[in-house]
Amino acid sequence: MQNTTKLALMCKSHNYKLDPYSNEYRVGNWVIGSKKRDELVGESVILTESQSSPAYLGGTIVGFVPVDNGKCEVIFKEDSTMIGNKDSVGHRGWGTGRGVCYV
């Protein structure tokens, strides 16, 4: 079975925000290069608590908003079928001390 997820974010604190007007989630302060951001729009993202835990939230990336220090917020529309997704569990894309995994 092929992975459907392209980006996994380790978000232990569950500090995402839902915009009630657009129904889009924002989760921020990730180091993702601008070229990679362009490639990821329209792809799936999941939020996990650890490198070995399944997704607790996920959806389709609709954009990125730059924040301080070259970091960005990821903006996505929720897809409830992504809950429980395990594409990033044990994936080699997790770097040491990194909360971003390209799956």
Side-chain angles (χ1 to χ4, degrees):
M1 184 173 153
Q2 189 172 9
N3 291 349
T4 56
T5 307
K6 294 296 179 194
L7 178 65
L9 302 171
M10 192 185 325
C11 188
K12 296 177 191 176
S13 60
H14 293 242
N15 63 343
Y16 53 84
K17 297 173 270 208
L18 174 63
D19 180 336
Y21 300 104
S22 67
N23 249 3
E24 295 171 345
Y25 283 89
R26 289 177 173 246
V27 61
N29 289 331
W30 306 105
V31 177
I32 301 171
S34 60
K35 184 178 180 207
K36 193 62 150 172
R37 291 180 207 173
D38 291 343
E39 294 171 9
L40 289 169
V41 172
E43 299 290 353
S44 295
V45 60
I46 57 174
L47 304 185
T48 69
E49 291 184 343
S50 74
Q51 295 179 7
S52 60
S53 63
Y56 64 81
L57 184 64
T60 303
I61 299 169
V62 295
F64 296 87
V65 176
V67 293
D68 295 336
N69 302 324
K71 296 181 179 182
C72 66
E73 284 185 324
V74 178
I75 303 170
F76 65 96
K77 290 231 182 240
E78 182 181 14
D79 176 351
S80 61
T81 65
M82 300 297 287
I83 295 170
N85 179 292
K86 295 180 180 177
D87 287 350
S88 68
V89 172
H91 195 275
R92 292 187 317 267
W94 291 109
T96 304
R98 283 179 46 89
V100 176
C101 178
Y102 302 115
V103 185

